[in-house]
Amino acid sequence: MLNEMVLHSVCLTEHAKKVGFRRLIEKFRKNMIYNSLDTKRIRKLMKSPGQLRLVQDDDWKIRPTAA
């Protein structure tokens, strides 16, 4: 799941390139284990409209409509 998110997410792709995929997995795991959920923030985010954009092309940086 994490691999697919990185492959199709602009922000995660850039972060994985910067820190490396292994480090990204380590950070993700530590956050899932040791951090508690901020339920107030989650409720606030659920009330506001949001949008998830996925990258579908390899050349997303040069195509203005891709991301």
Side-chain angles (χ1 to χ4, degrees):
M1 177 189 76
L2 190 56
N3 189 44
E4 286 298 313
M5 288 171 50
V6 170
L7 287 174
H8 299 290
S9 170
V10 174
C11 183
L12 283 176
T13 299
E14 290 300 311
H15 187 68
K17 286 179 183 177
K18 185 170 37 170
V19 300
F21 193 68
R22 183 171 293 208
R23 178 71 178 126
L24 178 73
I25 292 172
E26 289 172 8
K27 288 173 65 175
F28 181 80
R29 181 180 173 275
K30 286 179 183 176
N31 278 302
M32 294 300 290
I33 293 172
Y34 298 113
N35 290 340
S36 60
L37 293 175
D38 185 351
T39 55
K40 290 180 183 179
R41 181 172 179 248
I42 292 171
R43 284 191 184 102
K44 183 179 176 183
L45 289 170
M46 287 175 58
K47 290 179 182 178
S48 65
Q51 186 178 38
L52 176 64
R53 294 183 180 209
L54 299 177
V55 177
Q56 297 179 356
D57 296 317
D58 290 334
D59 58 348
W60 60 268
K61 279 194 169 188
I62 58 174
R63 293 186 58 196
T65 59

